[in-house]
Coordinates of all heavy atoms in Angstrom, one line a residue:
M1126 N 40.6 110.9 -21.9 CA 40.3 109.5 -21.6 C 39.1 109.1 -22.5 O 38.1 109.8 -22.5 CB 40.0 109.3 -20.1 CG 39.7 107.9 -19.8 SD 39.4 107.6 -18.1 CE 41.0 107.9 -17.3
I1127 N 39.2 108.0 -23.2 CA 38.1 107.5 -24.0 C 37.5 106.3 -23.2 O 38.1 105.4 -22.7 CB 38.6 107.0 -25.3 CG1 39.3 108.1 -26.1 CG2 37.5 106.3 -26.1 CD1 39.9 107.7 -27.4
R1128 N 36.1 106.4 -23.1 CA 35.4 105.4 -22.4 C 34.3 104.9 -23.3 O 33.8 105.6 -24.2 CB 34.7 106.0 -21.2 CG 35.8 106.4 -20.1 CD 35.1 106.8 -18.9 NE 36.1 107.2 -17.9 CZ 35.9 107.6 -16.7 NH1 34.7 107.7 -16.3 NH2 36.9 107.9 -15.9
R1129 N 33.9 103.7 -23.1 CA 32.9 103.1 -23.9 C 31.6 103.1 -23.0 O 31.6 102.7 -21.9 CB 33.3 101.6 -24.2 CG 32.2 101.0 -25.1 CD 32.7 99.6 -25.5 NE 31.7 99.0 -26.4 CZ 31.9 97.9 -27.0 NH1 33.0 97.3 -26.9 NH2 31.0 97.5 -27.8
H1130 N 30.5 103.6 -23.7 CA 29.3 103.7 -23.0 C 28.3 102.6 -23.6 O 28.3 102.4 -24.8 CB 28.6 105.1 -23.1 CG 29.4 106.1 -22.5 ND1 29.4 106.4 -21.2 CD2 30.4 107.0 -23.0 CE1 30.2 107.4 -20.9 NE2 30.8 107.8 -22.0
H1131 N 27.7 101.9 -22.7 CA 26.8 100.9 -23.1 C 25.3 101.4 -23.2 O 25.0 102.3 -22.4 CB 26.9 99.7 -22.2 CG 28.2 99.0 -22.2 ND1 28.6 98.1 -23.1 CD2 29.3 99.2 -21.4 CE1 29.8 97.7 -22.9 NE2 30.3 98.4 -21.9
V1132 N 24.6 100.9 -24.1 CA 23.2 101.3 -24.2 C 22.4 100.1 -23.6 O 22.5 99.0 -24.0 CB 22.8 101.5 -25.7 CG1 21.4 101.8 -25.9 CG2 23.7 102.6 -26.3
F1133 N 21.4 100.5 -22.8 CA 20.6 99.5 -22.2 C 19.6 99.1 -23.3 O 19.1 99.9 -24.1 CB 19.8 100.1 -21.0 CG 20.7 100.3 -19.8 CD1 21.1 101.5 -19.4 CD2 21.1 99.2 -19.0 CE1 21.9 101.7 -18.3 CE2 21.9 99.4 -17.9 CZ 22.3 100.7 -17.6
P1134 N 19.2 97.8 -23.3 CA 18.2 97.3 -24.3 C 16.9 98.1 -24.3 O 16.4 98.3 -25.4 CB 18.0 95.8 -23.9 CG 19.3 95.4 -23.2 CD 19.7 96.7 -22.5
D1135 N 16.4 98.4 -23.1 CA 15.2 99.2 -23.1 C 15.3 100.5 -23.7 O 14.3 101.0 -24.3 CB 14.7 99.4 -21.6 CG 14.3 98.1 -20.9 OD1 14.1 97.1 -21.7 OD2 14.2 98.0 -19.7
T1136 N 16.5 101.2 -23.6 CA 16.7 102.5 -24.2 C 16.6 102.3 -25.7 O 16.0 103.1 -26.4 CB 18.0 103.1 -23.8 OG1 18.1 103.1 -22.4 CG2 18.2 104.4 -24.3
L1137 N 17.3 101.3 -26.3 CA 17.3 101.1 -27.7 C 15.9 100.8 -28.2 O 15.4 101.3 -29.2 CB 18.3 100.0 -28.1 CG 18.4 99.7 -29.5 CD1 18.9 100.9 -30.3 CD2 19.4 98.6 -29.7
Q1138 N 15.2 99.9 -27.5 CA 13.9 99.5 -27.9 C 12.9 100.7 -27.9 O 12.1 100.9 -28.8 CB 13.3 98.4 -26.9 CG 11.9 97.9 -27.3 CD 11.9 97.2 -28.6 OE1 12.8 96.5 -28.9 NE2 10.9 97.5 -29.4
R1139 N 13.1 101.6 -26.9 CA 12.2 102.8 -26.8 C 12.5 103.7 -28.0 O 11.6 104.3 -28.6 CB 12.5 103.5 -25.5 CG 11.4 104.5 -25.2 CD 11.6 105.2 -23.8 NE 11.9 104.2 -22.8 CZ 13.0 104.1 -22.1 NH1 14.0 104.9 -22.3 NH2 13.2 103.2 -21.1
A1140 N 13.8 103.8 -28.4 CA 14.2 104.7 -29.5 C 13.6 104.1 -30.8 O 13.1 104.9 -31.7 CB 15.7 104.8 -29.6
V1141 N 13.6 102.8 -31.0 CA 13.1 102.2 -32.2 C 11.6 102.4 -32.3 O 11.0 102.8 -33.3 CB 13.4 100.7 -32.3 CG1 12.6 100.0 -33.3 CG2 14.9 100.5 -32.5
K1142 N 10.9 102.3 -31.1 CA 9.4 102.5 -31.1 C 9.1 103.9 -31.4 O 8.1 104.2 -32.1 CB 8.9 102.1 -29.7 CG 8.9 100.6 -29.5 CD 7.6 100.0 -29.0 CE 7.8 98.6 -28.8 NZ 7.0 97.8 -29.6
E1143 N 9.9 104.9 -30.9 CA 9.6 106.3 -31.1 C 9.8 106.6 -32.6 O 9.1 107.3 -33.2 CB 10.5 107.2 -30.3 CG 10.1 107.3 -28.8 CD 11.0 108.1 -28.0 OE1 11.7 109.0 -28.6 OE2 11.1 107.9 -26.8
A1144 N 10.9 106.0 -33.2 CA 11.2 106.2 -34.6 C 10.0 105.7 -35.5 O 9.6 106.3 -36.5 CB 12.5 105.6 -35.0
A1145 N 9.5 104.5 -35.1 CA 8.4 103.9 -35.9 C 7.2 104.8 -35.7 O 6.4 105.0 -36.7 CB 8.1 102.5 -35.4
R1146 N 6.9 105.3 -34.5 CA 5.8 106.2 -34.3 C 5.9 107.5 -35.1 O 5.0 107.9 -35.8 CB 5.6 106.5 -32.9 CG 4.3 107.3 -32.6 CD 4.2 107.8 -31.1 NE 5.3 108.7 -30.9 CZ 6.2 108.7 -29.9 NH1 6.2 107.6 -29.1 NH2 7.1 109.6 -29.7
D1147 N 7.2 108.1 -35.1 CA 7.4 109.3 -35.9 C 7.3 109.1 -37.4 O 6.9 110.0 -38.1 CB 8.8 109.9 -35.6 CG 8.9 110.4 -34.1 OD1 7.9 110.5 -33.5 OD2 10.1 110.6 -33.7
A1148 N 7.6 107.9 -37.8 CA 7.5 107.6 -39.3 C 6.1 107.1 -39.6 O 5.8 106.8 -40.8 CB 8.5 106.5 -39.6
R1149 N 5.2 107.1 -38.6 CA 3.8 106.7 -38.8 C 3.7 105.3 -39.4 O 2.9 105.0 -40.3 CB 3.1 107.7 -39.7 CG 3.0 109.1 -39.0 CD 2.1 110.0 -39.8 NE 2.0 111.2 -39.0 CZ 2.1 112.4 -39.5 NH1 2.2 112.6 -40.8 NH2 2.0 113.5 -38.8
I1150 N 4.5 104.4 -38.8 CA 4.4 103.0 -39.2 C 3.4 102.3 -38.3 O 3.5 102.3 -37.1 CB 5.8 102.3 -39.1 CG1 6.8 102.9 -40.0 CG2 5.7 100.8 -39.3 CD1 8.2 102.4 -39.9
A1151 N 2.3 101.8 -38.9 CA 1.2 101.3 -38.1 C 1.5 99.9 -37.5 O 1.0 99.6 -36.4 CB 0.0 101.2 -38.9
K1152 N 2.4 99.1 -38.1 CA 2.6 97.8 -37.6 C 3.6 97.8 -36.4 O 4.3 98.8 -36.3 CB 3.3 97.0 -38.7 CG 2.4 96.7 -39.9 CD 3.1 95.8 -40.9 CE 2.1 95.4 -42.0 NZ 2.7 94.3 -42.8
P1153 N 3.5 96.8 -35.6 CA 4.4 96.7 -34.5 C 5.9 96.6 -34.9 O 6.2 95.9 -35.9 CB 4.0 95.4 -33.7 CG 2.7 95.1 -34.3 CD 2.6 95.7 -35.6
V1154 N 6.8 97.4 -34.3 CA 8.2 97.4 -34.7 C 9.0 97.3 -33.5 O 8.7 97.8 -32.4 CB 8.5 98.8 -35.4 CG1 10.0 98.8 -35.7 CG2 7.7 99.0 -36.6
S1155 N 10.1 96.4 -33.6 CA 11.0 96.2 -32.5 C 12.4 96.0 -33.0 O 12.6 96.0 -34.2 CB 10.6 95.0 -31.7 OG 10.8 93.8 -32.5
C1156 N 13.4 95.9 -32.1 CA 14.7 95.7 -32.6 C 14.8 94.4 -33.3 O 15.5 94.2 -34.2 CB 15.7 95.7 -31.4 SG 15.8 97.3 -30.6
H1157 N 14.0 93.4 -32.8 CA 14.0 92.1 -33.5 C 13.4 92.2 -34.9 O 13.9 91.4 -35.8 CB 13.1 91.1 -32.6 CG 13.5 89.7 -32.9 ND1 14.7 89.1 -32.5 CD2 12.8 88.7 -33.6 CE1 14.7 87.9 -32.8 NE2 13.6 87.6 -33.5
T1158 N 12.5 93.1 -35.1 CA 12.0 93.4 -36.5 C 13.2 93.8 -37.4 O 13.2 93.3 -38.6 CB 10.9 94.5 -36.5 OG1 9.9 94.2 -35.5 CG2 10.3 94.7 -37.8
L1159 N 14.1 94.6 -36.9 CA 15.2 95.0 -37.7 C 16.1 93.8 -38.0 O 16.7 93.7 -39.1 CB 16.0 96.1 -37.0 CG 15.2 97.4 -36.7 CD1 16.1 98.4 -35.9 CD2 14.7 98.0 -38.0
R1160 N 16.3 92.9 -37.1 CA 17.1 91.7 -37.3 C 16.5 90.9 -38.4 O 17.2 90.4 -39.3 CB 17.2 91.0 -36.0 CG 18.0 89.7 -36.0 CD 18.0 89.1 -34.6 NE 18.6 87.8 -34.6 CZ 19.9 87.5 -34.5 NH1 20.8 88.4 -34.5 NH2 20.3 86.2 -34.5
H1161 N 15.2 90.7 -38.4 CA 14.5 89.9 -39.4 C 14.6 90.6 -40.8 O 14.9 89.9 -41.8 CB 13.0 89.8 -39.1 CG 12.7 88.7 -38.1 ND1 12.6 87.4 -38.4 CD2 12.5 88.8 -36.7 CE1 12.4 86.7 -37.3 NE2 12.3 87.5 -36.3
S1162 N 14.5 91.9 -40.8 CA 14.6 92.6 -42.0 C 16.0 92.5 -42.6 O 16.2 92.3 -43.8 CB 14.3 94.1 -41.8 OG 13.0 94.3 -41.5
F1163 N 17.0 92.6 -41.7 CA 18.4 92.4 -42.2 C 18.6 91.1 -42.8 O 19.1 91.0 -43.9 CB 19.3 92.6 -40.9 CG 20.8 92.4 -41.2 CD1 21.5 93.2 -42.0 CD2 21.4 91.3 -40.6 CE1 22.8 93.0 -42.3 CE2 22.8 91.0 -40.9 CZ 23.5 91.9 -41.7
A1164 N 18.2 90.0 -42.2 CA 18.3 88.7 -42.7 C 17.6 88.5 -44.0 O 18.1 87.9 -45.0 CB 17.9 87.6 -41.7
T1165 N 16.4 89.0 -44.1 CA 15.6 88.8 -45.3 C 16.2 89.6 -46.5 O 16.3 89.0 -47.6 CB 14.1 89.4 -45.0 OG1 13.6 88.6 -43.9 CG2 13.3 89.2 -46.3
H1166 N 16.7 90.8 -46.2 CA 17.3 91.6 -47.3 C 18.6 90.9 -47.8 O 18.9 90.9 -49.0 CB 17.6 93.0 -46.8 CG 16.3 93.8 -46.9 ND1 15.4 93.8 -45.9 CD2 15.9 94.7 -47.8 CE1 14.4 94.6 -46.1 NE2 14.7 95.2 -47.3
L1167 N 19.4 90.3 -46.9 CA 20.6 89.6 -47.3 C 20.2 88.5 -48.2 O 20.8 88.3 -49.3 CB 21.3 89.1 -46.1 CG 22.1 90.1 -45.3 CD1 22.7 89.5 -44.1 CD2 23.2 90.8 -46.1
L1168 N 19.2 87.7 -47.9 CA 18.8 86.6 -48.7 C 18.2 87.0 -50.0 O 18.5 86.4 -51.1 CB 17.8 85.7 -48.0 CG 18.4 84.9 -46.8 CD1 17.2 84.3 -45.9 CD2 19.3 83.9 -47.2
E1169 N 17.5 88.1 -50.0 CA 16.9 88.6 -51.3 C 18.0 89.1 -52.2 O 17.9 89.1 -53.4 CB 15.9 89.8 -51.0 CG 14.6 89.3 -50.4 CD 13.7 90.4 -50.1 OE1 14.1 91.6 -49.9 OE2 12.5 90.2 -50.0
A1170 N 19.1 89.6 -51.6 CA 20.2 90.1 -52.4 C 21.1 89.0 -52.9 O 22.1 89.3 -53.6 CB 21.1 91.1 -51.5
G1171 N 20.8 87.8 -52.5 CA 21.5 86.6 -53.1 C 22.6 86.1 -52.2 O 23.4 85.2 -52.6
Y1172 N 22.7 86.6 -50.9 CA 23.7 86.0 -50.0 C 23.3 84.6 -49.7 O 22.2 84.2 -49.6 CB 23.8 86.8 -48.7 CG 24.6 88.1 -48.9 CD1 23.9 89.2 -49.4 CD2 25.9 88.2 -48.6 CE1 24.6 90.4 -49.6 CE2 26.6 89.4 -48.8 CZ 25.9 90.5 -49.3 OH 26.6 91.7 -49.5
D1173 N 24.3 83.7 -49.5 CA 24.0 82.3 -49.2 C 23.6 82.2 -47.8 O 23.9 83.0 -46.9 CB 25.2 81.4 -49.5 CG 26.4 81.7 -48.7 OD1 27.0 82.8 -48.9 OD2 26.7 80.9 -47.8
I1174 N 22.9 81.1 -47.5 CA 22.3 80.9 -46.2 C 23.4 80.7 -45.1 O 23.2 81.1 -44.0 CB 21.3 79.6 -46.2 CG1 20.5 79.6 -45.0 CG2 22.1 78.3 -46.4 CD1 19.3 80.6 -45.0
R1175 N 24.5 80.2 -45.4 CA 25.6 80.0 -44.4 C 26.2 81.3 -44.0 O 26.5 81.5 -42.8 CB 26.7 79.1 -45.0 CG 26.3 77.7 -45.3 CD 26.1 76.9 -44.1 NE 25.7 75.5 -44.4 CZ 25.3 74.6 -43.6 NH1 25.3 74.9 -42.3 NH2 25.0 73.4 -43.9
T1176 N 26.3 82.2 -44.9 CA 26.8 83.6 -44.6 C 25.8 84.3 -43.6 O 26.2 84.9 -42.6 CB 27.0 84.4 -45.8 OG1 27.9 83.8 -46.7 CG2 27.5 85.8 -45.5
V1177 N 24.5 84.2 -43.9 CA 23.5 84.8 -43.1 C 23.5 84.1 -41.7 O 23.4 84.8 -40.7 CB 22.1 84.7 -43.8 CG1 21.0 85.3 -42.9 CG2 22.1 85.5 -45.1
Q1178 N 23.7 82.8 -41.7 CA 23.7 82.1 -40.4 C 24.8 82.6 -39.6 O 24.7 82.9 -38.4 CB 23.9 80.6 -40.7 CG 24.2 79.8 -39.5 CD 24.6 78.4 -39.8 OE1 24.8 78.0 -40.9 NE2 24.8 77.6 -38.7
E1179 N 26.0 82.8 -40.2 CA 27.2 83.3 -39.4 C 26.9 84.7 -38.9 O 27.2 85.0 -37.8 CB 28.4 83.3 -40.3 CG 29.7 83.6 -39.6 CD 30.9 83.5 -40.4 OE1 30.9 82.7 -41.4 OE2 31.8 84.3 -40.2
L1180 N 26.4 85.6 -39.8 CA 26.2 87.0 -39.4 C 25.1 87.1 -38.2 O 25.3 88.0 -37.4 CB 25.7 87.8 -40.6 CG 26.8 88.1 -41.6 CD1 26.1 88.7 -42.8 CD2 27.8 89.0 -41.1
L1181 N 24.1 86.2 -38.2 CA 23.1 86.3 -37.2 C 23.5 85.5 -35.9 O 22.9 85.6 -34.9 CB 21.8 85.7 -37.7 CG 21.1 86.5 -38.8 CD1 19.9 85.8 -39.3 CD2 20.8 87.9 -38.4
G1182 N 24.6 84.7 -36.0 CA 25.1 84.0 -34.9 C 24.3 82.8 -34.5 O 24.3 82.3 -33.4
H1183 N 23.6 82.2 -35.5 CA 22.9 81.0 -35.3 C 23.8 79.8 -35.3 O 24.7 79.7 -36.2 CB 21.8 80.8 -36.4 CG 20.8 81.8 -36.4 ND1 20.0 82.0 -37.5 CD2 20.3 82.6 -35.4 CE1 19.1 83.0 -37.2 NE2 19.3 83.3 -35.9
S1184 N 23.7 78.9 -34.4 CA 24.5 77.7 -34.4 C 24.0 76.6 -35.3 O 24.8 75.8 -35.8 CB 24.6 77.1 -32.9 OG 23.4 76.8 -32.4
D1185 N 22.7 76.6 -35.6 CA 22.1 75.6 -36.5 C 21.5 76.3 -37.7 O 20.8 77.3 -37.6 CB 21.0 74.9 -35.7 CG 20.5 73.7 -36.5 OD1 20.9 73.4 -37.6 OD2 19.6 73.0 -35.9
V1186 N 21.8 75.8 -38.9 CA 21.3 76.5 -40.1 C 19.8 76.4 -40.2 O 19.1 77.2 -40.9 CB 22.0 75.9 -41.4 CG1 21.4 74.5 -41.7 CG2 21.8 76.8 -42.6
S1187 N 19.2 75.4 -39.5 CA 17.7 75.3 -39.6 C 17.0 76.5 -39.0 O 15.9 76.9 -39.4 CB 17.2 74.0 -38.9 OG 17.5 74.0 -37.6
T1188 N 17.7 77.1 -38.0 CA 17.1 78.4 -37.4 C 17.1 79.5 -38.5 O 16.2 80.3 -38.6 CB 18.0 78.8 -36.2 OG1 18.1 77.7 -35.3 CG2 17.4 80.0 -35.5
T1189 N 18.2 79.6 -39.3 CA 18.3 80.6 -40.3 C 17.3 80.3 -41.4 O 16.9 81.3 -42.1 CB 19.8 80.6 -40.8 OG1 20.7 80.6 -39.7 CG2 20.0 81.9 -41.6
M1190 N 17.0 79.1 -41.7 CA 16.1 78.7 -42.8 C 14.8 79.3 -42.6 O 14.0 79.5 -43.6 CB 16.0 77.2 -42.9 CG 17.3 76.5 -43.3 SD 17.8 76.9 -45.0 CE 16.6 76.0 -45.9
I1191 N 14.4 79.7 -41.4 CA 13.1 80.4 -41.2 C 12.9 81.6 -42.1 O 11.8 81.9 -42.6 CB 12.9 80.7 -39.7 CG1 12.9 79.5 -38.8 CG2 11.7 81.6 -39.5 CD1 13.1 79.8 -37.4
Y1192 N 14.0 82.3 -42.4 CA 13.9 83.5 -43.1 C 13.7 83.3 -44.6 O 13.3 84.2 -45.3 CB 15.2 84.3 -43.0 CG 15.4 84.8 -41.5 CD1 16.4 84.1 -40.7 CD2 14.7 85.8 -41.0 CE1 16.6 84.5 -39.4 CE2 14.9 86.2 -39.6 CZ 15.8 85.5 -38.9 OH 16.0 85.9 -37.6
T1193 N 13.9 82.1 -45.1 CA 13.8 81.8 -46.5 C 12.3 81.7 -46.9 O 12.0 81.8 -48.1 CB 14.5 80.5 -46.9 OG1 13.9 79.4 -46.2 CG2 16.0 80.6 -46.6
H1194 N 11.4 81.5 -46.0 CA 10.0 81.3 -46.4 C 9.4 82.6 -47.0 O 8.5 82.5 -47.8 CB 9.1 81.0 -45.2 CG 8.7 82.1 -44.3 ND1 9.6 82.6 -43.4 CD2 7.6 82.9 -44.2 CE1 9.0 83.6 -42.7 NE2 7.8 83.8 -43.2
V1195 N 9.9 83.8 -46.7 CA 9.4 85.0 -47.3 C 9.9 85.2 -48.7 O 9.3 86.0 -49.4 CB 9.8 86.2 -46.4 CG1 9.1 86.2 -45.1 CG2 11.3 86.4 -46.3
L1196 N 10.9 84.5 -49.1 CA 11.4 84.7 -50.5 C 10.4 84.1 -51.5 O 10.0 84.8 -52.4 CB 12.8 84.0 -50.7 CG 13.9 84.6 -49.7 CD1 15.2 83.8 -50.0 CD2 14.1 86.1 -50.0
N1197 N 10.1 82.9 -51.4 CA 9.0 82.2 -52.1 C 9.0 82.7 -53.6 O 8.0 83.0 -54.2 CB 7.7 82.6 -51.5 CG 6.7 81.5 -51.6 OD1 7.0 80.4 -52.0 ND2 5.4 81.7 -51.2
K1198 N 10.1 82.6 -54.3 CA 10.2 83.1 -55.7 C 10.1 82.0 -56.7 O 9.8 82.2 -57.8 CB 11.6 83.7 -55.9 CG 11.8 85.0 -55.1 CD 13.1 85.6 -55.4 CE 13.4 86.9 -54.7 NZ 14.7 87.4 -54.9
G1199 N 10.2 80.7 -56.3 CA 10.1 79.6 -57.2 C 11.2 79.7 -58.3 O 12.3 80.1 -58.0
G1200 N 10.8 79.5 -59.5 CA 11.8 79.6 -60.6 C 12.3 81.0 -60.9 O 13.4 81.2 -61.5
R1201 N 11.6 82.0 -60.4 CA 12.0 83.4 -60.6 C 13.2 83.7 -59.8 O 13.9 84.7 -60.0 CB 10.9 84.4 -60.3 CG 9.8 84.3 -61.4 CD 8.6 85.2 -61.0 NE 8.0 84.7 -59.8 CZ 7.6 85.5 -58.8 NH1 7.8 86.8 -58.8 NH2 7.1 84.9 -57.7
G1202 N 13.5 82.9 -58.8 CA 14.6 83.2 -57.9 C 16.0 82.8 -58.5 O 17.0 83.1 -58.0
V1203 N 15.9 82.0 -59.6 CA 17.1 81.6 -60.2 C 17.6 82.7 -61.1 O 16.9 83.2 -62.0 CB 16.9 80.3 -61.1 CG1 18.2 79.9 -61.8 CG2 16.4 79.2 -60.2
K1204 N 18.9 83.1 -61.0 CA 19.5 84.1 -61.8 C 20.4 83.6 -62.8 O 21.2 82.7 -62.5 CB 20.2 85.1 -60.9 CG 19.3 85.8 -59.9 CD 19.1 87.2 -60.3 CE 18.3 87.9 -59.2 NZ 17.4 88.8 -59.7
S1205 N 20.3 84.1 -64.0 CA 21.3 83.7 -65.0 C 22.6 84.5 -64.8 O 22.5 85.6 -64.3 CB 20.7 84.1 -66.4 OG 21.7 84.2 -67.4
P1206 N 23.7 84.0 -65.1 CA 25.0 84.8 -65.0 C 24.9 86.1 -65.8 O 25.5 87.1 -65.5 CB 26.0 83.9 -65.6 CG 25.5 82.5 -65.4 CD 24.0 82.6 -65.5
L1207 N 24.1 86.1 -66.9 CA 23.9 87.3 -67.7 C 23.2 88.4 -66.9 O 23.3 89.6 -67.2 CB 23.2 87.0 -69.0 CG 23.9 86.0 -70.0 CD1 23.0 85.7 -71.1 CD2 25.2 86.6 -70.4
D1208 N 22.3 88.0 -66.0 CA 21.6 89.0 -65.1 C 22.6 89.8 -64.3 O 22.2 90.9 -63.9 CB 20.6 88.3 -64.2 CG 19.5 87.6 -64.9 OD1 19.2 88.1 -66.1 OD2 18.9 86.7 -64.4
R1209 N 23.8 89.3 -64.1 CA 24.7 90.0 -63.2 C 25.6 91.0 -64.0 O 26.3 91.8 -63.4 CB 25.6 89.0 -62.5 CG 24.8 88.1 -61.6 CD 25.7 87.2 -60.8 NE 24.9 86.3 -60.0 CZ 25.2 85.1 -59.6 NH1 26.5 84.7 -59.8 NH2 24.4 84.4 -58.9
L1210 N 25.5 91.0 -65.3 CA 26.3 91.9 -66.1 C 25.7 93.3 -66.0 O 24.5 93.5 -65.9 CB 26.3 91.5 -67.6 CG 27.0 90.1 -67.9 CD1 26.8 89.8 -69.3 CD2 28.4 90.1 -67.5
E1211 N 26.6 94.3 -66.0 CA 26.1 95.7 -65.9 C 25.4 96.0 -67.2 O 25.9 95.7 -68.3 CB 27.3 96.6 -65.7 CG 27.8 96.5 -64.2 CD 28.7 97.6 -64.0 OE1 28.6 98.7 -64.5 OE2 29.7 97.4 -63.2
Q1212 N 24.4 96.8 -67.1 CA 23.7 97.3 -68.3 C 24.3 98.6 -68.8 O 24.7 99.4 -67.9 CB 22.2 97.6 -67.9 CG 21.4 96.4 -67.5 CD 20.7 95.7 -68.7 OE1 20.5 96.4 -69.7 NE2 20.5 94.4 -68.6
P1213 N 24.6 98.8 -70.1 CA 25.1 100.0 -70.5 C 24.2 101.2 -70.2 O 23.0 101.0 -70.1 CB 25.3 99.8 -72.0 CG 24.7 98.6 -72.4 CD 24.3 97.8 -71.1
A1214 N 24.7 102.4 -70.1 CA 23.9 103.5 -69.8 C 22.8 103.7 -70.9 O 23.1 103.6 -72.1 CB 24.7 104.8 -69.7
G1215 N 21.6 103.9 -70.5 CA 20.5 104.1 -71.4 C 19.9 102.9 -71.9 O 18.9 102.9 -72.7
A1216 N 20.4 101.7 -71.5 CA 19.8 100.4 -71.9 C 18.5 100.2 -71.1 O 18.4 100.7 -70.0 CB 20.8 99.3 -71.7
Y1217 N 17.7 99.4 -71.7 CA 16.4 99.1 -71.0 C 16.2 97.6 -71.1 O 16.6 97.0 -72.1 CB 15.3 99.9 -71.5 CG 15.0 99.8 -72.9 CD1 14.1 98.8 -73.4 CD2 15.7 100.6 -73.9 CE1 13.9 98.7 -74.8 CE2 15.4 100.5 -75.2 CZ 14.6 99.5 -75.7 OH 14.3 99.4 -77.0
A1218 N 15.4 97.0 -70.2 CA 15.1 95.6 -70.2 C 13.8 95.4 -71.0 O 12.9 96.2 -71.0 CB 14.9 95.1 -68.8
V1219 N 13.8 94.4 -71.8 CA 12.6 94.0 -72.6 C 11.9 92.9 -71.8 O 12.5 91.9 -71.5 CB 13.0 93.5 -74.0 CG1 11.8 93.1 -74.8 CG2 13.8 94.6 -74.7
A1220 N 10.6 93.1 -71.6 CA 9.8 92.1 -70.8 C 9.3 91.0 -71.7 O 9.0 91.1 -72.8 CB 8.7 92.8 -70.1

């Protein structure tokens, strides 16, 4: 018989705190921290705000817009279509 076991929120939170302590992370860490990191990384990777909104379960996009403040890239956030092409092996970027 296969059964589904549920994890209590306190158990998960305790595991995250222990992992942060074991990793010697000095800043406060919580499950919510992981949620923020997930959203931020998606936006940094170029996912659109509506996709992130859906994944986080926000009913209003303005709630999701909170995560965009950390990007703060200005003109550097704009990517050329050429930036998406694969670089040949051994190629290097010229600054």
Side-chain angles (χ1 to χ4, degrees):
M1126 180 180 292
I1127 298 174
R1128 295 185 181 182
R1129 184 174 181 171
H1130 296 279
H1131 296 277
V1132 177
F1133 289 104
D1135 291 345
T1136 305
L1137 182 58
Q1138 183 63 42
R1139 196 173 314 114
V1141 169
K1142 292 228 182 247
E1143 284 180 25
R1146 187 187 64 236
D1147 292 346
R1149 296 189 175 135
I1150 298 173
K1152 292 185 175 188
V1154 178
S1155 67
C1156 295
H1157 203 72
T1158 307
L1159 298 177
R1160 181 177 168 86
H1161 281 278
S1162 295
F1163 175 67
T1165 303
H1166 282 80
L1167 287 175
L1168 291 169
E1169 286 177 338
Y1172 285 84
D1173 64 289
I1174 195 77
R1175 297 284 181 187
T1176 301
V1177 177
Q1178 174 191 1
E1179 185 178 329
L1180 289 171
L1181 294 178
H1183 294 158
S1184 58
D1185 188 0
V1186 74
S1187 64
T1188 307
T1189 313
M1190 293 294 287
I1191 295 167
Y1192 298 104
T1193 61
H1194 79 280
V1195 294
L1196 299 179
N1197 215 6
K1198 292 181 181 178
R1201 293 177 293 137
V1203 177
K1204 298 256 187 215
S1205 162
L1207 296 175
D1208 292 336
R1209 297 183 184 160
L1210 296 177
E1211 287 189 33
Q1212 297 272 334
Y1217 57 92
V1219 178

